[in-house]
């Protein structure tokens, strides 16, 4: 592919990409194994890959390449108009780090079975945003994380304690309501009551006995 990467729609903004790069840089480890759930065209992956490649690590991108359930907006039509899987691979190749990446075209939750417990240094979660799906991803992937490893994700506009509980319960199985990804917020805050927020990113470190 000639020129720079093609992102089709701006699911990850430039500001988001900057925070992703900063977080993974702050928690870099030699030979680090990173996993991304929900990759789309790879802007978030590219934000991580400079650090991962420098550390001699590897990134596994997990995406089913069918879009988000019940979501149209920009992202829904993009899957019908473009080969998102191919665009991702071209973007990775254009960045010069294709050998550092494995792409798994499958559902995010069962993909965890391919990894040993306590084997992963970093996981970025941005797949299905519905509460039950985010909770399932966390339940499946947290046992795969090493102690004191970085767990972070996208679409976290507020902390659960700052939202109307009835609104959250009523709409947490929707993708996006009233400016909030309520399913993401509920699942993340239930799993990590002291979760940190930077921009639209949430992040935390796993405990020694997770």
């Amino acid at each position: 592919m000639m020129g720079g990467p093609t992102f089709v729609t701006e699911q990850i903004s430039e500001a988001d990409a900057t925070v992703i790069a900063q977080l993974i840089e702050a928690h870099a480890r030699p030979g680090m194994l990173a996993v991304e759930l929900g990759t789309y065209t790879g802007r978030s992956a590219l934000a991580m890959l400079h650090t991962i490649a420098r550390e001699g690590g590897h990134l596994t991108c997990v995406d089913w390449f069918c879009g988000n359930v019940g979501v149209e907006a920009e992202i829904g039509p993009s899957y019908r108009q473009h080969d998102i899987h191919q665009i991702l691979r071209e973007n990775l190749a254009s960045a010069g780090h294709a050998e550092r990446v494995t792409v798994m075209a499958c559902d995010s939750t069962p993909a965890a079975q391919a990894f040993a417990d306590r084997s992963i240094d970093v996981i970025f979660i941005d797949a299905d945003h519905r509460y039950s799906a985010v909770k399932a991803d966390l339940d499946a992937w947290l046992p795969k994380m090493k102690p004191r490893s970085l767990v972070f994700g996208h679409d976290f506009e507020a902390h659960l304690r700052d939202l109307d509980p009835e609104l959250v319960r009523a709409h947490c199985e929707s993708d996006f309501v009233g400016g909030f990804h309520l399913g993401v917020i509920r699942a993340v805050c239930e799993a990590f009551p002291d979760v940190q927020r930077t921009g639209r990113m949430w992040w935390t470190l796993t405990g020694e006995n997770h």
Side-chain angles (χ1 to χ4, degrees):
M1 185 179 74
M2 300 300 294
T6 300
F7 297 124
V8 184
T9 69
E10 191 176 85
Q11 302 303 311
I12 299 288
S13 69
E14 184 175 349
D16 295 335
T18 297
V19 174
I20 291 169
Q22 290 171 342
L23 284 170
I24 200 162
E25 177 67 23
H27 299 93
R29 295 174 178 173
M32 62 197 298
L33 174 60
V35 173
E36 176 180 48
L37 309 183
T39 299
Y40 192 48
T41 55
R43 187 163 196 178
S44 47
L46 295 182
M48 293 187 275
L49 270 172
H50 173 76
T51 298
I52 293 169
R54 186 197 69 216
E55 296 295 332
H58 194 86
L59 172 65
T60 298
C61 297
V62 182
D63 200 306
W64 73 333
F65 297 103
C66 296
N68 288 5
V69 176
V71 178
E72 278 298 299
E74 291 181 321
I75 194 170
S78 75
Y79 280 91
R80 296 189 291 273
Q81 298 165 3
H82 305 275
D83 185 340
I84 299 298
H85 191 174
Q86 181 60 27
I87 290 172
L88 168 64
R89 291 190 176 279
E90 291 174 351
N91 285 342
L92 294 171
S94 74
H97 297 308
E99 77 284 357
R100 294 285 179 187
V101 184
T102 298
V103 178
M104 295 178 65
C106 60
D107 290 349
S108 56
T109 299
Q113 298 173 13
F115 294 81
D117 287 354
R118 295 194 168 207
S119 64
I120 300 172
D121 298 283
V122 173
I123 190 165
F124 180 72
I125 301 175
D126 190 23
D128 192 326
H129 298 121
R130 296 173 297 172
Y131 168 71
S132 56
V134 180
K135 187 176 186 303
D137 280 341
L138 290 169
D139 289 346
W141 286 94
L142 286 179
K144 309 303 178 180
M145 307 305 298
K146 294 178 182 177
R148 305 298 296 168
S149 57
L150 175 64
V151 181
F152 70 137
H154 189 228
D155 295 311
F156 191 79
E157 299 86 1
H159 198 283
L160 184 63
R161 60 177 172 258
D162 298 322
L163 297 174
D164 178 357
E166 292 187 7
L167 177 72
V168 175
R169 284 194 296 270
H171 297 289
C172 64
E173 289 298 332
S174 298
D175 180 87
F176 186 69
V177 174
F180 300 98
H181 290 83
L182 298 172
V184 174
I185 293 168
R186 179 183 174 186
V188 168
C189 290
E190 287 180 352
F192 310 111
D194 298 321
V195 67
Q196 302 294 308
R197 177 180 168 225
T198 304
R200 293 198 296 168
M201 300 296 158
W202 62 268
W203 64 276
T204 190
L205 298 179
T206 58
E208 295 295 331
N209 299 307
H210 65 276

